[in-house]
Amino acid sequence: MNLNEIYNDLERGVSEFIDLEKIKNLIKNYYEKGEVFYVKAGFDPTAPDLHLGHSVILNKMRFLQNHGAIVQFLIGDFTAQIGDPTGKSATRKQLSKEEVLKNAKTYEEQVFKILDKEKTELKFNSTWLNALGAVGIVELTSTFSVARMLERDDFTKRFKEQSPISISEFLYPLLQGYDSVALKCDIEMGGTDQKFNLLMGRTLQRTYNTGKEQGIIMLPLLVGLDGVNKMSKSLGNYIGVSEEPNSMYAKLLSISDELMKEYYNLLSFKTTKEINDIFDNIKNNTLHPKVAKENLALEIVERFWGKDLAINAKNEFDNIHSKNEIPSDIAEFNFDEEQWIVKLMQDTNLASSGSEARRAIKANSVSVNGEKISDEQLKISNGEFIIQVGKRKFAKVIIKG
């Protein structure tokens, strides 16, 4: 055990610490005195699926679990019904309790692909926020002024634009901060966009005399596959943690060489020294960037799906892209009559619409039995056909008629 190496790994990929010395001392006390410490991160279950962008925080939490932390994985079932206003230009639609609980269950199933279940306490903030009651809420609101609340960039912008801000949105950071009071956590983690809310927890722990003043770890927002915007389902540039292994592997190989260093720093469980060695070898031309990218993709797919499926995903990708072979798990469709290629592509899930199918044909991206086609009016009948769109979409079609 080398504390300096642990501290280097702790700092890797982090955008900002508040009270770094405190955090280092917590780790040091674990090794010298056997004292565990508590790390909180809150997730509002406003969507049912996590992606690799969410896993950046989970990965750092897992690292801390290896060095003395008990993770308080907080599902904000109460606050999700308000909606976090961070970065929003308009009031968010509130979720029903049923929607929140359904999404929370999905979160619970996914996070233990990363976190150590034995060192994780699953918490729901409705436990203490429901019990807070009207008197408690009023007391909580008295700890912070409207002027201080309007210091938040998103609130300031909306106030100047005379865009509505509901009172419930002012409550959100107070309630998130109160979670830290209830949990008495030593560290809270979040994205760089959460700084105001994270500081609120530190302030309220002091105000409520908890004997704690949490350290804060802020991590960057992972850039998506487009290399420009943060990873987001709405932008379509994401990799879901429950995405099937072949797709996950292929998407990871699609990232640019420039983005690969960031993905290693934020997503890999390798040590800082190991990662630095990888990029030194790339620089010295003793390691090809493609091999480094393949190794990262294998590591991440194995984390979520196991070693066998990760290796299968690599082999499948190599067969399709390097050897121009057909996938082994290709979907098969049967028809009893002649088929028009545009309609056939929709029926076999190779295109979501007729216009998308036509665009693919015009772009010379569609093959039938290995031959490129350019005729949008093509009719296919009697036989077995492999339809391919681009590099990754395949369908086997059997027509009897």
Side-chain angles (χ1 to χ4, degrees), residues 116-128:
D116 182 341
K117 196 169 187 176
E118 299 301 314
K119 298 178 181 177
T120 304
E121 297 176 354
L122 200 61
K123 304 287 187 178
F124 292 82
N125 65 4
S126 61
T127 306
W128 51 85

Side-chain angles (χ1 to χ4, degrees), residues 75-171:
I75 292 178
D77 57 327
F78 185 98
T79 42
Q81 294 177 74
I82 297 173
D84 184 1
T86 300
K88 303 301 173 185
S89 58
T91 301
R92 288 179 60 162
K93 176 180 175 289
Q94 293 184 8
L95 295 181
S96 69
K97 186 175 181 180
E98 291 71 25
E99 288 174 307
V100 168
L101 292 177
K102 181 181 176 182
N103 291 347
K105 181 64 179 174
T106 309
Y107 269 29
E108 187 177 343
E109 292 165 358
Q110 294 173 82
V111 297
F112 290 121
K113 292 183 177 183
I114 300 175
L115 297 180
D116 182 341
K117 196 169 187 176
E118 299 301 314
K119 298 178 181 177
T120 304
E121 297 176 354
L122 200 61
K123 304 287 187 178
F124 292 82
N125 65 4
S126 61
T127 306
W128 51 85
L129 293 180
N130 279 331
L132 195 59
V135 173
I137 293 285
V138 171
E139 181 182 335
L140 179 60
T141 59
S142 69
T143 65
F144 223 73
S145 69
V146 171
R148 284 291 309 279
M149 201 66 77
L150 286 173
E151 289 175 9
R152 275 182 55 149
D153 291 340
D154 41 20
F155 283 156
T156 300
K157 183 179 178 182
R158 287 165 62 185
F159 183 72
K160 287 179 179 177
E161 293 173 351
Q162 297 187 336
S163 179
I165 305 171
S166 69
I167 298 299
S168 65
E169 290 179 279
F170 275 172
L171 276 177

Side-chain angles (χ1 to χ4, degrees), residues 101-374:
L101 292 177
K102 181 181 176 182
N103 291 347
K105 181 64 179 174
T106 309
Y107 269 29
E108 187 177 343
E109 292 165 358
Q110 294 173 82
V111 297
F112 290 121
K113 292 183 177 183
I114 300 175
L115 297 180
D116 182 341
K117 196 169 187 176
E118 299 301 314
K119 298 178 181 177
T120 304
E121 297 176 354
L122 200 61
K123 304 287 187 178
F124 292 82
N125 65 4
S126 61
T127 306
W128 51 85
L129 293 180
N130 279 331
L132 195 59
V135 173
I137 293 285
V138 171
E139 181 182 335
L140 179 60
T141 59
S142 69
T143 65
F144 223 73
S145 69
V146 171
R148 284 291 309 279
M149 201 66 77
L150 286 173
E151 289 175 9
R152 275 182 55 149
D153 291 340
D154 41 20
F155 283 156
T156 300
K157 183 179 178 182
R158 287 165 62 185
F159 183 72
K160 287 179 179 177
E161 293 173 351
Q162 297 187 336
S163 179
I165 305 171
S166 69
I167 298 299
S168 65
E169 290 179 279
F170 275 172
L171 276 177
Y172 188 95
L174 288 167
L175 295 172
Q176 180 177 327
Y178 191 82
D179 291 340
S180 294
V181 173
L183 291 172
K184 295 182 171 64
C185 51
D186 298 291
I187 301 169
E188 184 171 12
M189 299 180 64
T192 50
D193 59 337
Q194 288 285 317
K195 185 173 183 177
F196 186 94
N197 294 357
L198 297 169
L199 286 169
M200 181 71 79
R202 185 173 163 92
T203 299
L204 290 179
Q205 280 185 328
R206 200 165 52 237
T207 301
Y208 280 82
N209 298 315
T210 61
K212 297 284 182 80
E213 192 169 340
Q214 66 186 24
I216 294 172
I217 301 175
M218 281 172 277
L219 289 140
L221 304 175
L222 185 70
V223 175
L225 298 175
D226 57 8
V228 179
N229 300 296
K230 75 171 185 177
M231 187 170 284
S232 166
K233 287 195 74 173
S234 62
L235 295 175
N237 63 353
Y238 72 101
I239 304 172
V241 302
S242 295
E243 200 159 324
E244 61 94 12
N246 291 1
S247 175
M248 183 181 284
Y249 183 89
K251 284 185 176 182
L252 283 163
L253 281 200
S254 75
I255 64 172
S256 67
D257 290 351
E258 293 74 24
L259 197 57
M260 179 167 55
K261 181 73 178 285
E262 178 181 343
Y263 272 50
Y264 258 105
N265 280 332
L266 296 177
L267 300 177
S268 177
F269 283 174
K270 294 184 183 299
T271 66
T272 302
K273 183 181 183 304
E274 288 171 332
I275 291 173
N276 288 339
D277 287 345
I278 288 168
F279 285 90
D280 285 344
N281 291 336
I282 291 174
K283 187 176 180 180
N284 297 331
N285 295 317
T286 57
L287 178 66
H288 196 284
K290 183 175 182 291
V291 175
K293 203 179 295 182
E294 288 173 340
N295 291 339
L296 177 64
L298 278 169
E299 178 190 345
I300 293 172
V301 176
E302 181 178 343
R303 184 178 308 157
F304 295 105
W305 292 101
K307 188 171 184 178
D308 289 345
L309 288 178
I311 293 171
N312 287 346
K314 182 185 186 308
N315 292 339
E316 193 77 0
F317 184 91
D318 291 344
N319 287 340
I320 297 169
H321 295 268
S322 304
K323 303 174 186 175
N324 294 319
E325 293 183 7
I326 297 166
S328 58
D329 59 349
I330 185 171
E332 185 175 304
F333 300 86
N334 292 274
F335 300 92
D336 295 326
E337 57 187 11
E338 182 181 74
Q339 296 293 308
W340 173 36
I341 186 64
V342 171
K343 179 72 162 55
L344 181 63
M345 288 171 64
Q346 295 175 73
D347 291 342
T348 55
N349 303 318
L350 295 175
S352 60
S353 65
S355 58
E356 182 183 321
R358 289 187 178 90
R359 282 196 300 272
I361 294 169
K362 286 180 180 177
N364 204 32
S365 299
V366 181
S367 301
V368 178
N369 287 347
E371 297 291 330
K372 295 285 187 182
I373 65 165
S374 58

Side-chain angles (χ1 to χ4, degrees), residues 28-82:
K28 183 180 179 183
N29 287 342
Y30 169 70
Y31 282 105
E32 293 184 353
K33 303 176 184 177
E35 297 175 356
V36 298
F37 54 95
Y38 292 86
V39 178
K40 163 202 165 191
F43 289 78
D44 275 352
T46 49
D49 297 309
L50 296 173
H51 55 63
L52 290 187
H54 298 112
S55 79
V56 171
I57 290 176
L58 295 173
N59 292 344
K60 191 63 77 173
M61 291 165 76
R62 177 57 188 262
F63 166 81
L64 289 168
Q65 285 182 320
N66 294 338
H67 301 291
I70 303 298
V71 163
Q72 297 168 317
F73 186 87
L74 177 63
I75 292 178
D77 57 327
F78 185 98
T79 42
Q81 294 177 74
I82 297 173

